[in-house]
Amino acid sequence: MNEAVRKWIYLIVLSLVWGSSFILIKKALIGLSAIQLGGLRIVLASSFLFVFGYRSVWGLTLRDWKWIFFAGLLSSFFPPFLFALAQTQLDSGVTSIFNSVVPLLTTIVGVVLFGVFVTKKQILGVVIGLLGTLVLIVTGMEFSQDQNYWYSIYIILSALGYALNINIIKKHLAHLSPLAVTTGSFAVAFVPALAIVHYTGFFGSIGSDGEMQRSMWFLLILAVLGTAVANIYFNKLIHLSSPVFAASVTYVIPIVAVLWGVWDGESINVYQLMGGVVILFGVYLVNRKKRPS
């Protein structure tokens, strides 16, 4: 299978997996606090990765670990907490929509901090995708006026972290395997996350709290598939493609997440569906190659 086909397969699979993550967070928050959810998501994902990926980090240099440390904080430590906090006040579909600013931020960060060259067509695709996202946001606000949209700041901060992480991996860690980068990043996040979970009193409550136990099943799926496995394949996607292409997965995620939200009783209208079509067109422009003359 050639790289062009593989990167599109990774994009679609990641869109489905990460698009489903928001409904899993919503269900897990029924029995867990946002801080518990964020910490446990990291701990469980890290434990899974250590079993299968511990050998991949042998032989990493100090320079590798320096960049993995930053990548780990930006993409593996802070976002799980920030997403959980955001979804205490925002619907799962709305949260995923705000997350789709990642490609725009990836482009800006790449140009400003990493000297990445982007074409006019890629910039146009990013802008069109962002416009589609704005359509989804505005129509979402119309139907969900009771939500606190100030909590979207947490998602913007996470998106900025992802944008920095994508460019760091592409420029400084491209020589490492995706498994090594993912395992190393979660190794950085594991100890502080475990300490935070212990501080919340989770281990003293889980044995007697039935709601918390039920929420753990949603969290387990989220941690293993939506975090550990998905991050491995996302790092593979970064290696195979450009930073902008890898980031464009966040343009497709809201479509999946909004559909899950509708299934769970959240609202959607024809304008939101139109916004999803605009987003897909933006992804197409970002990744369309120039035909040879």
Side-chain angles (χ1 to χ4, degrees):
M1 188 184 299
N2 62 48
E3 290 187 357
V5 174
R6 273 200 295 159
K7 71 179 185 179
W8 277 103
I9 291 175
Y10 290 161
L11 184 76
I12 293 169
V13 171
L14 285 168
S15 299
L16 293 172
V17 172
W18 273 338
S20 303
S21 294
F22 296 90
I23 193 69
L24 291 171
I25 292 173
K26 180 179 180 179
K27 297 299 184 183
L29 281 171
I30 294 173
L32 297 167
S33 70
I35 300 302
Q36 287 173 333
L37 191 156
L40 286 166
R41 182 178 180 183
I42 295 168
V43 169
L44 292 173
S46 301
S47 301
F48 176 83
L49 286 165
F50 294 159
V51 172
F52 295 97
Y54 69 96
R55 291 184 180 179
S56 66
V57 298
W58 290 356
L60 294 183
T61 65
L62 284 177
R63 181 181 179 279
D64 292 334
W65 277 112
K66 178 185 75 172
W67 291 111
I68 285 175
F69 174 79
F70 290 119
L73 291 180
L74 292 167
S75 68
S76 302
F77 181 72
F78 290 113
F81 292 104
L82 294 173
F83 273 105
L85 286 168
Q87 282 196 226
T88 61
Q89 297 294 324
L90 296 172
D91 282 343
S92 57
V94 173
T95 306
S96 71
I97 290 164
F98 280 106
N99 188 50
S100 58
V101 299
V102 172
L104 175 64
L105 295 179
T106 299
T107 303
I108 294 172
V109 168
V111 172
V112 174
L113 298 181
F114 293 85
V116 173
F117 173 78
V118 292
T119 65
K120 292 180 180 179
K121 189 173 293 183
Q122 285 178 316
I123 294 173
L124 177 61
V126 168
V127 172
I128 290 175
L130 183 61
L131 289 174
T133 301
L134 290 175
V135 171
L136 289 172
I137 290 172
V138 171
T139 53
M141 291 176 68
E142 177 185 349
F143 279 84
S144 308
Q145 296 180 9
D146 58 327
Q147 297 182 60
N148 187 347
Y149 277 79
W150 285 108
Y151 274 67
S152 64
I153 292 173
Y154 292 131
I155 304 303
I156 303 301
L157 291 173
S158 294
L160 179 59
Y162 288 143
L164 288 164
N165 171 66
I166 290 169
N167 282 285
I168 287 172
I169 291 175
K170 193 66 179 180
K171 184 168 185 177
H172 299 290
L173 300 173
H175 61 288
L176 300 178
S177 71
L179 183 59
V181 174
T182 308
T183 303
S185 295
F186 277 92
V188 170
F190 176 76
V191 173
L194 183 61
I196 290 171
V197 172
H198 174 72
Y199 178 78
T200 65
F202 167 81
F203 296 109
S205 304
I206 183 64
S208 58
D209 192 325
E211 198 69 74
M212 185 179 285
Q213 293 169 8
R214 285 187 288 274
S215 292
M216 284 298 296
W217 289 107
F218 294 106
L219 179 60
L220 184 62
I221 299 171
L222 174 67
V224 174
L225 294 181
T227 306
V229 175
N231 272 280
I232 293 172
Y233 280 92
F234 184 62
N235 288 332
K236 286 185 178 183
L237 181 61
I238 294 172
H239 280 72
L240 283 175
S241 61
S242 69
V244 174
F245 183 95
S248 65
V249 67
T250 59
Y251 276 164
V252 190
I253 285 172
I255 299 172
V256 178
V258 167
L259 290 174
W260 272 115
V262 171
W263 172 82
D264 198 49
E266 297 175 13
S267 299
I268 190 172
N269 59 34
V270 66
Y271 298 106
Q272 289 174 306
L273 294 175
M274 288 172 58
V277 172
V278 173
I279 287 171
L280 288 174
F281 181 62
V283 175
Y284 169 76
L285 285 181
V286 166
N287 300 291
R288 182 169 175 263
K289 291 184 177 180
K290 184 178 180 180
R291 293 181 180 179
S293 56

